[in-house]
Amino acid sequence: DSIEPPRSVVVKLWDTDGPGGEREVSFYRSFGKAVGARIPACYHAAIDPDRKRGVLVLEDLRNVVQG
């Protein structure tokens, strides 16, 4: 069975200077599924410490209805 790729994603890029970006990447890598609330699926999460850059590729939730 093949997995249907998403039609669109949200890409978040940021400069990392300190632990903030690492915490966000760690959240999606380790704890995101255990939160118990609907959060975007994370397709990719990475930090490049040499360039001090971070990236998240997340599910686009623009069509999701809350509540």
mmCIF file of all heavy atoms in Angstrom, residues 15-66:
data_model
loop_
_atom_site.group_PDB
_atom_site.id
_atom_site.type_symbol
_atom_site.label_atom_id
_atom_site.label_comp_id
_atom_site.label_asym_id
_atom_site.label_seq_id
_atom_site.Cartn_x
_atom_site.Cartn_y
_atom_site.Cartn_z
ATOM 1 N N ASP A 15 15.867 31.039 12.836
ATOM 2 C CA ASP A 15 17.228 31.101 13.355
ATOM 3 C C ASP A 15 17.205 30.530 14.755
ATOM 4 O O ASP A 15 16.297 30.830 15.533
ATOM 5 C CB ASP A 15 17.731 32.548 13.422
ATOM 6 C CG ASP A 15 17.961 33.143 12.053
ATOM 7 O OD1 ASP A 15 18.311 32.388 11.135
ATOM 8 O OD2 ASP A 15 17.788 34.361 11.894
ATOM 9 N N THR A 16 18.163 29.703 15.070
ATOM 10 C CA THR A 16 18.233 29.138 16.416
ATOM 11 C C THR A 16 19.384 29.779 17.152
ATOM 12 O O THR A 16 20.511 29.775 16.693
ATOM 13 C CB THR A 16 18.441 27.604 16.377
ATOM 14 O OG1 THR A 16 19.666 27.330 15.705
ATOM 15 C CG2 THR A 16 17.301 26.906 15.694
ATOM 16 N N ASP A 17 19.080 30.340 18.268
ATOM 17 C CA ASP A 17 20.114 30.899 19.133
ATOM 18 C C ASP A 17 19.658 30.631 20.556
ATOM 19 O O ASP A 17 18.944 31.426 21.149
ATOM 20 C CB ASP A 17 20.296 32.387 18.875
ATOM 21 C CG ASP A 17 21.578 32.910 19.475
ATOM 22 O OD1 ASP A 17 22.427 32.085 19.864
ATOM 23 O OD2 ASP A 17 21.741 34.136 19.563
ATOM 24 N N GLY A 18 19.976 29.470 21.050
ATOM 25 C CA GLY A 18 19.506 29.056 22.356
ATOM 26 C C GLY A 18 18.669 27.801 22.248
ATOM 27 O O GLY A 18 18.489 27.238 21.173
ATOM 28 N N PRO A 19 18.110 27.369 23.383
ATOM 29 C CA PRO A 19 17.418 26.080 23.432
ATOM 30 C C PRO A 19 15.990 26.090 22.892
ATOM 31 O O PRO A 19 15.385 25.046 22.752
ATOM 32 C CB PRO A 19 17.426 25.745 24.922
ATOM 33 C CG PRO A 19 17.424 27.079 25.588
ATOM 34 C CD PRO A 19 18.240 27.985 24.687
ATOM 35 N N GLY A 20 15.410 27.236 22.600
ATOM 36 C CA GLY A 20 14.011 27.302 22.182
ATOM 37 C C GLY A 20 13.692 26.444 20.978
ATOM 38 O O GLY A 20 12.727 25.682 20.981
ATOM 39 N N GLY A 21 14.463 26.544 19.932
ATOM 40 C CA GLY A 21 14.230 25.765 18.727
ATOM 41 C C GLY A 21 14.409 24.277 18.951
ATOM 42 O O GLY A 21 13.667 23.463 18.418
ATOM 43 N N GLU A 22 15.393 23.930 19.754
ATOM 44 C CA GLU A 22 15.629 22.518 20.052
ATOM 45 C C GLU A 22 14.449 21.921 20.807
ATOM 46 O O GLU A 22 14.089 20.768 20.585
ATOM 47 C CB GLU A 22 16.918 22.351 20.847
ATOM 48 C CG GLU A 22 18.156 22.653 20.030
ATOM 49 C CD GLU A 22 19.435 22.535 20.843
ATOM 50 O OE1 GLU A 22 19.400 21.932 21.937
ATOM 51 O OE2 GLU A 22 20.455 23.053 20.385
ATOM 52 N N ARG A 23 13.822 22.702 21.687
ATOM 53 C CA ARG A 23 12.658 22.209 22.429
ATOM 54 C C ARG A 23 11.488 21.944 21.490
ATOM 55 O O ARG A 23 10.759 20.975 21.646
ATOM 56 C CB ARG A 23 12.248 23.204 23.510
ATOM 57 C CG ARG A 23 13.087 23.029 24.760
ATOM 58 C CD ARG A 23 12.618 23.942 25.837
ATOM 59 N NE ARG A 23 13.612 25.009 25.863
ATOM 60 C CZ ARG A 23 13.433 26.207 26.353
ATOM 61 N NH1 ARG A 23 12.301 26.543 26.875
ATOM 62 N NH2 ARG A 23 14.394 27.080 26.330
ATOM 63 N N GLU A 24 11.294 22.834 20.518
ATOM 64 C CA GLU A 24 10.181 22.650 19.589
ATOM 65 C C GLU A 24 10.383 21.404 18.735
ATOM 66 O O GLU A 24 9.468 20.605 18.549
ATOM 67 C CB GLU A 24 10.009 23.888 18.711
ATOM 68 C CG GLU A 24 8.761 23.848 17.887
ATOM 69 C CD GLU A 24 8.409 25.168 17.245
ATOM 70 O OE1 GLU A 24 9.224 26.100 17.262
ATOM 71 O OE2 GLU A 24 7.305 25.251 16.700
ATOM 72 N N VAL A 25 11.573 21.217 18.222
ATOM 73 C CA VAL A 25 11.879 20.022 17.430
ATOM 74 C C VAL A 25 11.727 18.776 18.295
ATOM 75 O O VAL A 25 11.123 17.787 17.882
ATOM 76 C CB VAL A 25 13.297 20.116 16.822
ATOM 77 C CG1 VAL A 25 13.758 18.777 16.291
ATOM 78 C CG2 VAL A 25 13.322 21.164 15.713
ATOM 79 N N SER A 26 12.219 18.823 19.518
ATOM 80 C CA SER A 26 12.095 17.688 20.424
ATOM 81 C C SER A 26 10.634 17.372 20.726
ATOM 82 O O SER A 26 10.251 16.204 20.803
ATOM 83 C CB SER A 26 12.843 17.978 21.732
ATOM 84 O OG SER A 26 12.692 16.919 22.631
ATOM 85 N N PHE A 27 9.807 18.399 20.873
ATOM 86 C CA PHE A 27 8.385 18.192 21.115
ATOM 87 C C PHE A 27 7.762 17.376 19.996
ATOM 88 O O PHE A 27 7.092 16.373 20.241
ATOM 89 C CB PHE A 27 7.664 19.537 21.238
ATOM 90 C CG PHE A 27 6.174 19.402 21.248
ATOM 91 C CD1 PHE A 27 5.508 19.057 22.410
ATOM 92 C CD2 PHE A 27 5.434 19.603 20.097
ATOM 93 C CE1 PHE A 27 4.128 18.919 22.430
ATOM 94 C CE2 PHE A 27 4.058 19.471 20.095
ATOM 95 C CZ PHE A 27 3.398 19.119 21.267
ATOM 96 N N TYR A 28 7.986 17.785 18.752
ATOM 97 C CA TYR A 28 7.377 17.072 17.633
ATOM 98 C C TYR A 28 7.972 15.683 17.449
ATOM 99 O O TYR A 28 7.284 14.749 17.066
ATOM 100 C CB TYR A 28 7.488 17.884 16.342
ATOM 101 C CG TYR A 28 6.435 18.949 16.259
ATOM 102 C CD1 TYR A 28 6.728 20.268 16.550
ATOM 103 C CD2 TYR A 28 5.132 18.627 15.910
ATOM 104 C CE1 TYR A 28 5.746 21.240 16.483
ATOM 105 C CE2 TYR A 28 4.149 19.587 15.837
ATOM 106 C CZ TYR A 28 4.467 20.895 16.128
ATOM 107 O OH TYR A 28 3.483 21.843 16.067
ATOM 108 N N ARG A 29 9.260 15.524 17.713
ATOM 109 C CA ARG A 29 9.897 14.214 17.558
ATOM 110 C C ARG A 29 9.490 13.232 18.648
ATOM 111 O O ARG A 29 9.305 12.048 18.395
ATOM 112 C CB ARG A 29 11.416 14.361 17.586
ATOM 113 C CG ARG A 29 12.012 14.900 16.333
ATOM 114 C CD ARG A 29 13.508 14.903 16.458
ATOM 115 N NE ARG A 29 14.150 15.363 15.240
ATOM 116 C CZ ARG A 29 15.417 15.712 15.166
ATOM 117 N NH1 ARG A 29 16.183 15.653 16.231
ATOM 118 N NH2 ARG A 29 15.921 16.115 14.024
ATOM 119 N N SER A 30 9.380 13.702 19.893
ATOM 120 C CA SER A 30 9.230 12.798 21.026
ATOM 121 C C SER A 30 7.864 12.794 21.686
ATOM 122 O O SER A 30 7.376 11.749 22.081
ATOM 123 C CB SER A 30 10.276 13.154 22.095
ATOM 124 O OG SER A 30 11.565 13.112 21.550
ATOM 125 N N PHE A 31 7.256 13.969 21.844
ATOM 126 C CA PHE A 31 6.068 14.054 22.680
ATOM 127 C C PHE A 31 4.792 14.373 21.920
ATOM 128 O O PHE A 31 3.706 14.229 22.456
ATOM 129 C CB PHE A 31 6.264 15.131 23.753
ATOM 130 C CG PHE A 31 7.484 14.920 24.582
ATOM 131 C CD1 PHE A 31 8.566 15.765 24.461
ATOM 132 C CD2 PHE A 31 7.561 13.864 25.474
ATOM 133 C CE1 PHE A 31 9.706 15.575 25.216
ATOM 134 C CE2 PHE A 31 8.692 13.662 26.230
ATOM 135 C CZ PHE A 31 9.771 14.521 26.110
ATOM 136 N N GLY A 32 4.885 14.811 20.708
ATOM 137 C CA GLY A 32 3.724 15.281 19.964
ATOM 138 C C GLY A 32 2.552 14.329 19.934
ATOM 139 O O GLY A 32 1.408 14.735 20.091
ATOM 140 N N LYS A 33 2.803 13.052 19.772
ATOM 141 C CA LYS A 33 1.710 12.074 19.674
ATOM 142 C C LYS A 33 1.089 11.769 21.037
ATOM 143 O O LYS A 33 -0.028 11.284 21.118
ATOM 144 C CB LYS A 33 2.220 10.790 19.027
ATOM 145 C CG LYS A 33 2.609 10.996 17.586
ATOM 146 C CD LYS A 33 3.145 9.730 16.973
ATOM 147 C CE LYS A 33 3.573 10.018 15.535
ATOM 148 N NZ LYS A 33 4.201 8.877 14.906
ATOM 149 N N ALA A 34 1.796 12.069 22.119
ATOM 150 C CA ALA A 34 1.307 11.747 23.456
ATOM 151 C C ALA A 34 0.580 12.904 24.127
ATOM 152 O O ALA A 34 0.149 12.768 25.260
ATOM 153 C CB ALA A 34 2.486 11.311 24.326
ATOM 154 N N VAL A 35 0.425 14.014 23.454
ATOM 155 C CA VAL A 35 -0.155 15.206 24.061
ATOM 156 C C VAL A 35 -1.621 15.021 24.407
ATOM 157 O O VAL A 35 -2.120 15.543 25.391
ATOM 158 C CB VAL A 35 0.029 16.427 23.129
ATOM 159 C CG1 VAL A 35 -0.767 17.619 23.606
ATOM 160 C CG2 VAL A 35 1.490 16.781 23.031
ATOM 161 N N GLY A 36 -2.345 14.289 23.594
ATOM 162 C CA GLY A 36 -3.760 14.091 23.835
ATOM 163 C C GLY A 36 -4.627 15.143 23.176
ATOM 164 O O GLY A 36 -5.834 15.146 23.358
ATOM 165 N N ALA A 37 -4.050 16.036 22.445
ATOM 166 C CA ALA A 37 -4.781 17.065 21.703
ATOM 167 C C ALA A 37 -4.396 16.955 20.240
ATOM 168 O O ALA A 37 -3.330 16.435 19.901
ATOM 169 C CB ALA A 37 -4.442 18.453 22.223
ATOM 170 N N ARG A 38 -5.247 17.436 19.378
ATOM 171 C CA ARG A 38 -4.969 17.394 17.933
ATOM 172 C C ARG A 38 -3.918 18.436 17.599
ATOM 173 O O ARG A 38 -4.117 19.629 17.805
ATOM 174 C CB ARG A 38 -6.271 17.673 17.167
ATOM 175 C CG ARG A 38 -6.104 17.784 15.658
ATOM 176 C CD ARG A 38 -5.791 16.406 15.070
ATOM 177 N NE ARG A 38 -5.959 16.420 13.625
ATOM 178 C CZ ARG A 38 -4.953 16.567 12.764
ATOM 179 N NH1 ARG A 38 -3.727 16.705 13.194
ATOM 180 N NH2 ARG A 38 -5.187 16.558 11.467
ATOM 181 N N ILE A 39 -2.770 17.969 17.164
ATOM 182 C CA ILE A 39 -1.711 18.865 16.707
ATOM 183 C C ILE A 39 -1.358 18.463 15.278
ATOM 184 O O ILE A 39 -1.667 17.346 14.855
ATOM 185 C CB ILE A 39 -0.462 18.814 17.613
ATOM 186 C CG1 ILE A 39 0.168 17.422 17.602
ATOM 187 C CG2 ILE A 39 -0.795 19.252 19.030
ATOM 188 C CD1 ILE A 39 1.528 17.368 18.237
ATOM 189 N N PRO A 40 -0.707 19.343 14.526
ATOM 190 C CA PRO A 40 -0.334 18.974 13.163
ATOM 191 C C PRO A 40 0.631 17.794 13.152
ATOM 192 O O PRO A 40 1.508 17.692 14.009
ATOM 193 C CB PRO A 40 0.361 20.223 12.618
ATOM 194 C CG PRO A 40 0.115 21.310 13.574
ATOM 195 C CD PRO A 40 -0.298 20.697 14.865
ATOM 196 N N ALA A 41 0.462 16.913 12.183
ATOM 197 C CA ALA A 41 1.444 15.843 11.983
ATOM 198 C C ALA A 41 2.757 16.486 11.565
ATOM 199 O O ALA A 41 2.775 17.458 10.810
ATOM 200 C CB ALA A 41 0.969 14.876 10.905
ATOM 201 N N CYS A 42 3.843 15.973 12.079
ATOM 202 C CA CYS A 42 5.161 16.507 11.745
ATOM 203 C C CYS A 42 5.836 15.540 10.781
ATOM 204 O O CYS A 42 6.092 14.387 11.115
ATOM 205 C CB CYS A 42 5.995 16.676 13.008
ATOM 206 S SG CYS A 42 7.626 17.361 12.700
ATOM 207 N N TYR A 43 6.127 16.026 9.593
ATOM 208 C CA TYR A 43 6.765 15.203 8.570
ATOM 209 C C TYR A 43 8.284 15.286 8.630
ATOM 210 O O TYR A 43 8.981 14.388 8.177
ATOM 211 C CB TYR A 43 6.274 15.613 7.185
ATOM 212 C CG TYR A 43 4.778 15.519 7.048
ATOM 213 C CD1 TYR A 43 4.005 16.658 6.869
ATOM 214 C CD2 TYR A 43 4.127 14.292 7.113
ATOM 215 C CE1 TYR A 43 2.628 16.576 6.747
ATOM 216 C CE2 TYR A 43 2.752 14.204 7.007
ATOM 217 C CZ TYR A 43 2.011 15.342 6.815
ATOM 218 O OH TYR A 43 0.645 15.256 6.719
ATOM 219 N N HIS A 44 8.802 16.390 9.176
ATOM 220 C CA HIS A 44 10.253 16.564 9.284
ATOM 221 C C HIS A 44 10.529 17.625 10.341
ATOM 222 O O HIS A 44 9.848 18.643 10.393
ATOM 223 C CB HIS A 44 10.845 17.001 7.942
ATOM 224 C CG HIS A 44 12.326 17.173 7.965
ATOM 225 N ND1 HIS A 44 13.192 16.108 8.021
ATOM 226 C CD2 HIS A 44 13.096 18.290 7.965
ATOM 227 C CE1 HIS A 44 14.441 16.570 8.032
ATOM 228 N NE2 HIS A 44 14.416 17.877 8.007
ATOM 229 N N ALA A 45 11.526 17.372 11.188
ATOM 230 C CA ALA A 45 11.948 18.328 12.211
ATOM 231 C C ALA A 45 13.453 18.217 12.357
ATOM 232 O O ALA A 45 13.982 17.122 12.558
ATOM 233 C CB ALA A 45 11.270 18.026 13.540
ATOM 234 N N ALA A 46 14.159 19.337 12.226
ATOM 235 C CA ALA A 46 15.617 19.274 12.294
ATOM 236 C C ALA A 46 16.200 20.608 12.741
ATOM 237 O O ALA A 46 15.619 21.668 12.514
ATOM 238 C CB ALA A 46 16.209 18.898 10.937
ATOM 239 N N ILE A 47 17.362 20.512 13.355
ATOM 240 C CA ILE A 47 18.164 21.671 13.747
ATOM 241 C C ILE A 47 19.541 21.480 13.123
ATOM 242 O O ILE A 47 20.110 20.388 13.184
ATOM 243 C CB ILE A 47 18.318 21.753 15.276
ATOM 244 C CG1 ILE A 47 16.983 22.003 15.957
ATOM 245 C CG2 ILE A 47 19.337 22.802 15.674
ATOM 246 C CD1 ILE A 47 16.495 23.413 15.924
ATOM 247 N N ASP A 48 20.064 22.526 12.528
ATOM 248 C CA ASP A 48 21.439 22.515 12.038
ATOM 249 C C ASP A 48 22.238 23.417 12.978
ATOM 250 O O ASP A 48 22.185 24.641 12.855
ATOM 251 C CB ASP A 48 21.506 23.038 10.609
ATOM 252 C CG ASP A 48 22.912 22.998 10.028
ATOM 253 O OD1 ASP A 48 23.885 22.963 10.808
ATOM 254 O OD2 ASP A 48 23.035 23.024 8.795
ATOM 255 N N PRO A 49 22.943 22.835 13.955
ATOM 256 C CA PRO A 49 23.640 23.648 14.946
ATOM 257 C C PRO A 49 24.774 24.484 14.353
ATOM 258 O O PRO A 49 25.077 25.552 14.866
ATOM 259 C CB PRO A 49 24.167 22.631 15.959
ATOM 260 C CG PRO A 49 24.169 21.326 15.254
ATOM 261 C CD PRO A 49 23.123 21.404 14.185
ATOM 262 N N ASP A 50 25.384 24.021 13.272
ATOM 263 C CA ASP A 50 26.472 24.776 12.663
ATOM 264 C C ASP A 50 25.970 26.067 12.011
ATOM 265 O O ASP A 50 26.602 27.105 12.102
ATOM 266 C CB ASP A 50 27.206 23.931 11.616
ATOM 267 C CG ASP A 50 27.909 22.731 12.235
ATOM 268 O OD1 ASP A 50 28.314 22.820 13.419
ATOM 269 O OD2 ASP A 50 28.032 21.708 11.553
ATOM 270 N N ARG A 51 24.831 25.985 11.373
ATOM 271 C CA ARG A 51 24.250 27.166 10.711
ATOM 272 C C ARG A 51 23.245 27.895 11.597
ATOM 273 O O ARG A 51 22.724 28.927 11.211
ATOM 274 C CB ARG A 51 23.564 26.744 9.413
ATOM 275 C CG ARG A 51 24.539 26.244 8.395
ATOM 276 C CD ARG A 51 23.827 25.934 7.120
ATOM 277 N NE ARG A 51 24.766 25.509 6.103
ATOM 278 C CZ ARG A 51 24.436 24.857 5.018
ATOM 279 N NH1 ARG A 51 23.177 24.562 4.783
ATOM 280 N NH2 ARG A 51 25.347 24.503 4.153
ATOM 281 N N LYS A 52 22.944 27.306 12.758
ATOM 282 C CA LYS A 52 21.966 27.866 13.695
ATOM 283 C C LYS A 52 20.632 28.117 13.011
ATOM 284 O O LYS A 52 20.068 29.206 13.049
ATOM 285 C CB LYS A 52 22.504 29.148 14.338
ATOM 286 C CG LYS A 52 23.707 28.903 15.208
ATOM 287 C CD LYS A 52 24.139 30.149 15.912
ATOM 288 C CE LYS A 52 25.324 29.822 16.813
ATOM 289 N NZ LYS A 52 25.788 30.996 17.516
ATOM 290 N N ARG A 53 20.142 27.053 12.357
ATOM 291 C CA ARG A 53 18.855 27.122 11.654
ATOM 292 C C ARG A 53 18.016 25.922 12.057
ATOM 293 O O ARG A 53 18.531 24.844 12.321
ATOM 294 C CB ARG A 53 19.054 27.105 10.134
ATOM 295 C CG ARG A 53 19.857 28.240 9.574
ATOM 296 C CD ARG A 53 19.101 29.520 9.457
ATOM 297 N NE ARG A 53 18.013 29.366 8.500
ATOM 298 C CZ ARG A 53 16.953 30.140 8.462
ATOM 299 N NH1 ARG A 53 16.812 31.111 9.308
ATOM 300 N NH2 ARG A 53 16.016 29.951 7.577
ATOM 301 N N GLY A 54 16.702 26.122 12.065
ATOM 302 C CA GLY A 54 15.780 25.038 12.357
ATOM 303 C C GLY A 54 14.707 24.973 11.288
ATOM 304 O O GLY A 54 14.416 25.970 10.628
ATOM 305 N N VAL A 55 14.115 23.791 11.128
ATOM 306 C CA VAL A 55 13.043 23.613 10.154
ATOM 307 C C VAL A 55 12.037 22.598 10.691
ATOM 308 O O VAL A 55 12.412 21.612 11.311
ATOM 309 C CB VAL A 55 13.573 23.151 8.774
ATOM 310 C CG1 VAL A 55 14.278 21.814 8.861
ATOM 311 C CG2 VAL A 55 12.447 23.092 7.748
ATOM 312 N N LEU A 56 10.772 22.914 10.495
ATOM 313 C CA LEU A 56 9.677 21.980 10.746
ATOM 314 C C LEU A 56 8.837 21.919 9.481
ATOM 315 O O LEU A 56 8.553 22.959 8.879
ATOM 316 C CB LEU A 56 8.783 22.454 11.891
ATOM 317 C CG LEU A 56 9.333 22.381 13.294
ATOM 318 C CD1 LEU A 56 8.387 23.093 14.258
ATOM 319 C CD2 LEU A 56 9.523 20.938 13.723
ATOM 320 N N VAL A 57 8.448 20.720 9.074
ATOM 321 C CA VAL A 57 7.498 20.539 7.976
ATOM 322 C C VAL A 57 6.279 19.883 8.613
ATOM 323 O O VAL A 57 6.354 18.744 9.085
ATOM 324 C CB VAL A 57 8.074 19.673 6.834
ATOM 325 C CG1 VAL A 57 7.052 19.511 5.728
ATOM 326 C CG2 VAL A 57 9.372 20.290 6.299
ATOM 327 N N LEU A 58 5.174 20.648 8.667
ATOM 328 C CA LEU A 58 3.995 20.236 9.404
ATOM 329 C C LEU A 58 2.785 20.085 8.498
ATOM 330 O O LEU A 58 2.698 20.722 7.442
ATOM 331 C CB LEU A 58 3.664 21.270 10.481
ATOM 332 C CG LEU A 58 4.755 21.565 11.490
ATOM 333 C CD1 LEU A 58 4.367 22.759 12.345
ATOM 334 C CD2 LEU A 58 5.015 20.347 12.346
ATOM 335 N N GLU A 59 1.857 19.285 8.962
ATOM 336 C CA GLU A 59 0.580 19.126 8.297
ATOM 337 C C GLU A 59 -0.142 20.472 8.226
ATOM 338 O O GLU A 59 -0.143 21.235 9.194
ATOM 339 C CB GLU A 59 -0.249 18.131 9.100
ATOM 340 C CG GLU A 59 -1.656 17.938 8.652
ATOM 341 C CD GLU A 59 -2.428 17.029 9.599
ATOM 342 O OE1 GLU A 59 -1.993 16.765 10.728
ATOM 343 O OE2 GLU A 59 -3.511 16.572 9.160
ATOM 344 N N ASP A 60 -0.735 20.771 7.099
ATOM 345 C CA ASP A 60 -1.510 21.998 6.913
ATOM 346 C C ASP A 60 -2.908 21.750 7.475
ATOM 347 O O ASP A 60 -3.654 20.925 6.957
ATOM 348 C CB ASP A 60 -1.574 22.344 5.426
ATOM 349 C CG ASP A 60 -2.271 23.655 5.151
ATOM 350 O OD1 ASP A 60 -2.831 24.265 6.094
ATOM 351 O OD2 ASP A 60 -2.276 24.071 3.982
ATOM 352 N N LEU A 61 -3.259 22.460 8.539
ATOM 353 C CA LEU A 61 -4.547 22.271 9.194
ATOM 354 C C LEU A 61 -5.578 23.332 8.822
ATOM 355 O O LEU A 61 -6.560 23.507 9.516
ATOM 356 C CB LEU A 61 -4.361 22.254 10.719
ATOM 357 C CG LEU A 61 -3.564 21.108 11.300
ATOM 358 C CD1 LEU A 61 -3.469 21.230 12.810
ATOM 359 C CD2 LEU A 61 -4.153 19.773 10.906
ATOM 360 N N ARG A 62 -5.374 24.029 7.738
ATOM 361 C CA ARG A 62 -6.276 25.131 7.411
ATOM 362 C C ARG A 62 -7.726 24.697 7.225
ATOM 363 O O ARG A 62 -8.634 25.473 7.432
ATOM 364 C CB ARG A 62 -5.788 25.898 6.199
ATOM 365 C CG ARG A 62 -6.045 25.180 4.890
ATOM 366 C CD ARG A 62 -5.713 26.026 3.719
ATOM 367 N NE ARG A 62 -4.664 25.332 2.982
ATOM 368 C CZ ARG A 62 -4.010 25.877 2.004
ATOM 369 N NH1 ARG A 62 -4.256 27.093 1.648
ATOM 370 N NH2 ARG A 62 -3.091 25.204 1.383
ATOM 371 N N ASN A 63 -7.975 23.445 6.856
ATOM 372 C CA ASN A 63 -9.344 22.984 6.638
ATOM 373 C C ASN A 63 -9.929 22.192 7.810
ATOM 374 O O ASN A 63 -11.022 21.658 7.705
ATOM 375 C CB ASN A 63 -9.420 22.131 5.363
ATOM 376 C CG ASN A 63 -9.091 22.933 4.133
ATOM 377 O OD1 ASN A 63 -9.465 24.092 4.015
ATOM 378 N ND2 ASN A 63 -8.372 22.324 3.204
ATOM 379 N N VAL A 64 -9.194 22.123 8.908
ATOM 380 C CA VAL A 64 -9.664 21.389 10.076
ATOM 381 C C VAL A 64 -10.603 22.283 10.884
ATOM 382 O O VAL A 64 -10.322 23.455 11.115
ATOM 383 C CB VAL A 64 -8.475 20.928 10.948
ATOM 384 C CG1 VAL A 64 -8.945 20.317 12.252
ATOM 385 C CG2 VAL A 64 -7.624 19.948 10.176
ATOM 386 N N VAL A 65 -11.726 21.716 11.319
ATOM 387 C CA VAL A 65 -12.690 22.442 12.120
ATOM 388 C C VAL A 65 -12.469 22.080 13.587
ATOM 389 O O VAL A 65 -12.427 20.900 13.922
ATOM 390 C CB VAL A 65 -14.135 22.095 11.700
ATOM 391 C CG1 VAL A 65 -15.146 22.794 12.585
ATOM 392 C CG2 VAL A 65 -14.359 22.427 10.241
ATOM 393 N N GLN A 66 -12.324 23.089 14.438
ATOM 394 C CA GLN A 66 -12.132 22.845 15.869
ATOM 395 C C GLN A 66 -13.475 22.752 16.569
ATOM 396 O O GLN A 66 -14.424 23.441 16.218
ATOM 397 C CB GLN A 66 -11.312 23.963 16.497
ATOM 398 C CG GLN A 66 -9.896 24.005 15.998
ATOM 399 C CD GLN A 66 -9.085 25.065 16.700
ATOM 400 O OE1 GLN A 66 -9.604 25.868 17.455
ATOM 401 N NE2 GLN A 66 -7.790 25.072 16.455
#
